Amino acid sequence: MTAVIDRPAPSRGPRRPGRFAAPPRPVWEEPPSKAGSAAKGTVIVLACLAVLVPLWIVVVTSLSSKQTITEAGGLVIVPKDITFVAYQELLSGGQVTRAALVSVGVTVTGTLFSMVVSVLCAYGLSRPGSVGHRLILMTLMVTMFFGAGLIPTYLLVQTLGLTDTYLALILPGAVSVFNTLVLRGFFMGISSELIDSARIDGAGDWRILWQVVMPLSRAVIAVITLFYAVGYWSAWFNASIYLTDQQMMPLQNVLIQLVQKQEIPVGLNMAVRAGDLSGTAVQMAVMVLALLPVAVLSPFVQKHFKKGMLTGAVKG
Amino acid sequence: MAHDIAPGPAPADSTPQPGPVSDRARPAGLRKRVGGGPAKGKAGKAGKIPLGRRLRRDRTLLLMTLPAVLLLVVFNYVPILGNVIAFQEYDPYVSTNGITAMANSPWVGMAQFERVFGDPAFWHAVENTFVLFFLQLVLYFPIPIALALLVNSLLRPGVRAVVQAVLYLPHFFSWVLVITVFQQILGGAGIIAQELRQRGYEGFDLMTDPEAFKFLVTFEGIWKDAGWGLIVFLAALAAVNHDLYEAAAMDGAGRWRRMWHITLPALRPVIALLLVLRVGDALTVGFEQLLLQRDAVGPGASEVLDTFVWWTGIRNQDFSYAAAAGLVKGVVGLVLVLAANKTAHLMGEQGVYRK
């Protein structure tokens, strides 16, 4: 590393400490002992490996050929040959393609709907002193303490004729009171002078929400959108009790059948029986499809998590 | 009400501007909030403006809350009324419509509840619920705290962000996925069992072993959510005044003493609050997680109150019986939550709602 010093300074200006450089240690703080750092590092690395290794195995197996999988005796840890056969088969029509589309559709529609309803409600409750906001707040909070129970809800959804419609996957859980309160907590933190000045300039509540509050709340809105989206994407229970038509099932439900009953999705039987494709690879590929959007999106929103969680959870 | 004269200058009616520069621009309530006044004072002040005017002033805000309130009323409050079937012998086939079926079903008083309390399967579910709850409390609860202390001691922001991203990740996976992953690793055909067999040992199947099931469930919970749980502790740690550490160091406190006397006391309120809330939620232990594994291990090891309701109601269509069991669970759960909140208040914490 000494060579670095001899090199001319980069034209970008003075070197800033990188994200991976340790900040200077205060003089009073004793440097960590070798053994202590090693133990700490080991625990953290182990914890990260406990998360990453299973995911690695799943992804690599889904990308392996039938021969590699057979040789490895089921699951592959060291990739030998990379092939996308499983994905090609799954996404070239048939049950899994349809289920993935259903999941995407339900997630996008549901998240949009939930966000609109929650943001509106949160803003409506965020101006203190408005008529009835305590009563409405109570109406919301009671549902956090006392749920109606599975059976009456099930019967209601049936009575409303929502069975075997996608509305049954969206409407019953569309409002998360927790998420709404998180949004409200954040909106309440926006300085009231700002909102008042917008009002004096002639902006109504809709305009204030859209042009003042929303742009200032991008962080928390990103977090709550992710929470809702993950909720819709991961949901399988409502589909399992409200949908009877196998054609309508979302991805998670297809995954359950695939893994628990070892059923090969309709449309893939030929390829698997013909021996071109490993059943294990198919399973793993469906798992990757199920985890991919979440795994890709959540790190982007990560830096806002703490802020979002705290404004709601603590101020509530 | 329009002829009432509001106190204070410039009532909205006399303002010629297009946008309603209303009372709220001259904020009675807002100023109160900045001062942090208690709710009672606010109501007293706002009460001077007549209700009709306030309704008109806030109609947009009320309109905005309407969709959410409607959805909650329909899907959370109406079903609460539906719990009356717990006192009936509900027969969905009496009529085509759920409501008329409810009206035409015979009333049986407390008979369903007597059935529930006399049912060994119900008590078995209660037992499993509590066993799982205590295991999770003892084995799961300390882990996020320990992880938070570790992650908090990582000084390089980049390393820290990466570690956090990895640890948060499983929280966003569905239970279906988590259980599938466990199946592939620890199941009878899983990678570990295969490996053992190839080396000439006996394989095993943790996923179908009723003895190991409760530990397996707890471990799955740890894998999925322990990383996520550290967020709130990290936030509490970030709020600690760092001058305290320096002052303690000046006074000769080593790293362990600083942790014991500064860091842990800073975490104490959060730990207490989460503990109390967890106890309040004791009857709810991983519904989806357990339902997904019910087939593999059987109800003996995996049946908890939630899955019991699901099984008797949705699967066996014994609606009134399941509703009665669900109602018992709901009421006991409510008492636990309220008691937990009360405890939180007594300890000087906020709990889920304020007093």
Side-chain angles (χ1 to χ4, degrees), chain B residues 85-122:
Chain B
I85 67 164
F87 303 93
Q88 293 185 321
E89 187 62 63
Y90 177 77
D91 181 1
Y93 304 108
V94 188
S95 163
T96 49
N97 178 310
I99 296 166
T100 44
M102 219 177 273
N104 292 330
S105 295
W107 294 90
V108 294
M110 303 299 285
Q112 302 290 3
F113 291 92
E114 281 161 24
R115 257 178 86 199
V116 168
F117 290 127
D119 185 349
F122 172 77

Side-chain angles (χ1 to χ4, degrees), chain B residues 143-178:
Chain B
I143 293 181
I145 302 172
L147 272 180
L149 289 175
L150 276 179
V151 171
N152 195 50
S153 72
L154 295 174
L155 293 176
R156 294 157 204 258
V159 175
R160 201 173 147 152
V162 170
V163 168
Q164 273 172 274
V166 170
L167 293 180
Y168 292 165
L169 201 55
H171 172 75
F172 296 103
F173 296 156
S174 66
W175 271 117
V176 180
L177 204 65
V178 172

Side-chain angles (χ1 to χ4, degrees), chain B:
Chain B
M1 286 267 183
H3 59 275
D4 285 346
I5 295 164
D13 310 37
S14 66
T15 319
Q17 283 177 13
V21 177
S22 60
D23 311 314
R24 225 157 356 98
R26 176 188 48 76
L30 289 185
R31 210 178 297 129
K32 263 279 161 355
R33 197 182 114 243
V34 173
K40 273 169 203 155
K42 198 185 294 174
K45 176 97 180 185
K48 285 184 185 169
I49 307 171
L51 183 66
R53 275 179 57 93
R54 295 174 69 210
L55 274 178
R56 196 143 43 87
R57 182 193 68 186
D58 295 334
R59 62 181 185 279
T60 323
L61 295 180
L62 287 173
L63 189 71
M64 284 173 167
T65 61
L66 197 63
V69 171
L70 269 181
L71 278 168
L72 286 175
V73 166
V74 172
F75 289 103
N76 291 77
Y77 282 88
V78 172
I80 290 181
L81 301 179
N83 271 312
V84 295
I85 67 164
F87 303 93
Q88 293 185 321
E89 187 62 63
Y90 177 77
D91 181 1
Y93 304 108
V94 188
S95 163
T96 49
N97 178 310
I99 296 166
T100 44
M102 219 177 273
N104 292 330
S105 295
W107 294 90
V108 294
M110 303 299 285
Q112 302 290 3
F113 291 92
E114 281 161 24
R115 257 178 86 199
V116 168
F117 290 127
D119 185 349
F122 172 77
W123 290 111
H124 186 70
V126 171
E127 187 193 322
N128 273 344
T129 308
F130 280 111
V131 167
L132 284 176
F133 162 69
F134 280 114
L135 263 185
Q136 288 181 3
L137 203 60
V138 175
L139 296 182
Y140 171 98
F141 200 82
I143 293 181
I145 302 172
L147 272 180
L149 289 175
L150 276 179
V151 171
N152 195 50
S153 72
L154 295 174
L155 293 176
R156 294 157 204 258
V159 175
R160 201 173 147 152
V162 170
V163 168
Q164 273 172 274
V166 170
L167 293 180
Y168 292 165
L169 201 55
H171 172 75
F172 296 103
F173 296 156
S174 66
W175 271 117
V176 180
L177 204 65
V178 172
I179 287 163
T180 312
V181 168
F182 269 77
Q183 175 102 41
Q184 303 292 355
I185 308 285
L186 298 174
I191 192 158
I192 294 178
Q194 292 279 17
E195 201 61 32
L196 283 177
R197 272 187 219 111
Q198 275 181 0
R199 282 158 205 259
Y201 298 99
E202 205 176 323
F204 65 95
D205 187 356
L206 265 187
M207 304 299 287
T208 55
D209 182 354
E211 287 299 309
F213 184 71
K214 43 187 181 290
F215 296 101
L216 178 77
V217 167
T218 311
F219 187 56
E220 286 168 356
I222 292 173
W223 191 79
K224 188 174 192 285
D225 281 327
W228 183 248
L230 67 86
I231 275 193
V232 62
F233 295 109
L234 276 184
L237 289 174
V240 179
N241 182 352
H242 275 252
D243 294 346
L244 291 178
Y245 287 112
E246 188 169 353
M250 291 305 156
D251 290 345
R255 67 175 74 253
W256 291 106
R257 288 198 71 114
R258 291 202 301 269
M259 179 159 134
W260 184 254
H261 291 293
I262 301 172
T263 310
L264 286 180
L267 289 182
R268 208 186 72 103
V270 187
I271 295 175
L273 178 63
L274 289 184
L275 208 65
V276 162
L277 293 184
R278 185 66 202 93
V279 172
D281 214 17
L283 294 187
T284 307
V285 275
F287 175 45
E288 294 202 343
Q289 181 191 6
L290 292 163
L291 198 51
L292 282 168
Q293 300 181 77
R294 199 177 181 279
D295 286 345
V297 251
S302 72
E303 196 85 299
V304 291
L305 283 171
D306 283 327
T307 55
F308 179 76
V309 172
W310 171 82
W311 176 258
T312 50
I314 309 274
R315 273 301 185 82
N316 292 345
Q317 306 271 304
D318 196 347
F319 291 114
S320 284
Y321 183 63
L327 198 56
V328 171
K329 191 222 152 194
V331 170
V332 177
L334 179 67
V335 172
L336 281 177
V337 172
L338 293 180
N341 258 291
K342 186 81 194 162
T343 319
H345 290 156
L346 287 178
M347 294 190 314
E349 307 294 340
Q350 253 182 17
V352 175
Y353 63 92
R354 271 177 241 171
K355 258 188 275 191

Side-chain angles (χ1 to χ4, degrees), chain A residues 261-281:
Chain A
K261 296 175 188 153
Q262 302 286 324
E263 286 168 2
I264 300 299
V266 182
L268 283 178
N269 285 326
M270 296 308 287
V272 175
R273 292 226 179 86
D276 305 333
L277 188 57
S278 152
T280 317

